[in-house]
């Protein structure tokens, strides 16, 4: 499956989403075609990003969302849905973990949300989507059911050493020059 992961504009200019690096690495290892757009520190150009999405033609677009990026995620998703409506939109990250019910209720363009660490569960989700299998029993997933937003219990990753290293080569335009990651 062709998957695009997006780190929307935010205040941390020059930093990169380590989480998306991990997700990209895991998904590529499973045979998916993955690209990451890291828009952090760039001005919001939702329509320009939507055009890039349209050119890549992913089946799934995943967004990383910190609270400072929540509005940018919404606007970017809406622009992408207008330009390329066939892609499924999913969202995860700290903001969604904290308030997935409210965010998904207010942003109907996102079909699913991921609560907590999604490294393993997101790969399982993509596998099931590609195979046409149900996804609502995956740990740490949020979705709509009977007009309300529900979430499954999240699962913590206990074997961190089993995760592959993040693949920064999958991040479009990534450079090690001035690389930093705030801890």
């Amino acid at each position: 499956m062709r998957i695009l992961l997006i780190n929307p504009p935010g205040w941390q200019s020059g930093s990169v989403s380590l989480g998306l690096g991990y997700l990209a690495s895991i998904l590529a290892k499973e045979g998916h075609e993955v690209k990451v757009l890291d828009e952090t520190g760039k001005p919001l150009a939702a329509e320009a990003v939507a055009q890039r999405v349209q050119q890549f033609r992913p089946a799934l677009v995943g967004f990383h969302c910190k609270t400072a990026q929540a509005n940018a995620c919404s606007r970017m998703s809406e622009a992408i849905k207008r330009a390329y409506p066939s892609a499924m939109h999913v969202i995860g990250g700290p903001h969604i973990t904290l308030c997935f019910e409210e965010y998904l209720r207010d942003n109907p363009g996102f079909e699913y949300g991921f609560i907590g660490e999604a490294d393993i569960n997101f790969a399982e989700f993509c596998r099931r989507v590609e195979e046409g299998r149900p996804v609502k029993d995956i740990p740490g997933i949020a979705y709509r059911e009977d007009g309300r937003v529900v979430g499954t219990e999240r699962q913590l990753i206990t074997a961190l050493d089993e995760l592959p290293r993040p693949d920064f080569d999958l991040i479009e335009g990534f450079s090690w020059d001035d690389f930093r990651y705030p801890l």
Side-chain angles (χ1 to χ4, degrees):
M1 176 171 21
R2 187 174 284 178
I3 301 168
L4 180 68
L5 303 174
I6 299 175
N7 190 24
W11 59 271
Q12 290 180 320
S13 178
S15 69
V16 66
S17 171
L18 191 59
L20 290 185
Y22 276 109
L23 286 179
S25 180
I26 291 165
L27 294 170
K29 188 175 179 180
E30 292 215 357
H32 298 287
E33 184 179 349
V34 184
K35 181 189 265 190
V36 180
L37 297 180
D38 194 333
E39 300 298 305
T40 304
K42 300 174 185 173
L44 178 62
E47 284 71 25
V49 171
Q51 289 177 351
R52 289 162 58 198
V53 172
Q54 193 174 24
Q55 291 169 351
F56 185 59
R57 307 189 62 76
L60 189 145
V61 179
F63 293 80
H64 178 260
C65 187
K66 296 176 189 167
T67 299
Q69 297 169 307
N71 291 333
C73 284
S74 300
R75 290 191 302 270
M76 194 166 282
S77 174
E78 290 167 1
I80 292 168
K81 284 279 187 183
R82 284 191 301 273
Y84 187 69
S86 61
M88 177 186 293
H89 287 211
V90 300
I91 191 163
H95 188 72
I96 304 310
T97 298
L98 293 172
C99 57
F100 68 88
E101 291 174 77
E102 178 184 336
Y103 194 85
L104 289 180
R105 183 186 65 238
D106 294 344
N107 294 279
F110 292 100
E111 285 88 348
Y112 295 95
F114 285 85
I115 307 162
E117 298 80 12
D119 304 78
I120 295 168
N121 298 341
F122 188 60
E124 175 66 19
F125 173 84
C126 292
R127 189 178 315 111
R128 289 189 192 186
V129 166
E130 190 172 40
E131 295 169 356
R133 295 177 28 221
V135 297
K136 293 181 178 179
D137 64 332
I138 293 174
I141 191 169
Y143 56 92
R144 290 172 194 80
E145 186 171 82
D146 299 327
R148 60 189 182 94
V149 176
V150 297
T152 62
E153 188 173 333
R154 60 191 273 204
Q155 177 183 28
L156 297 177
I157 298 172
T158 57
L160 294 176
D161 290 339
E162 293 179 15
L163 296 176
R165 295 189 187 276
D167 190 343
F168 296 119
D169 292 334
L170 296 173
I171 300 174
E172 184 179 273
F174 177 78
S175 170
W176 287 102
D177 296 340
D178 298 322
F179 174 77
R180 63 189 177 94
Y181 186 78
L183 297 176

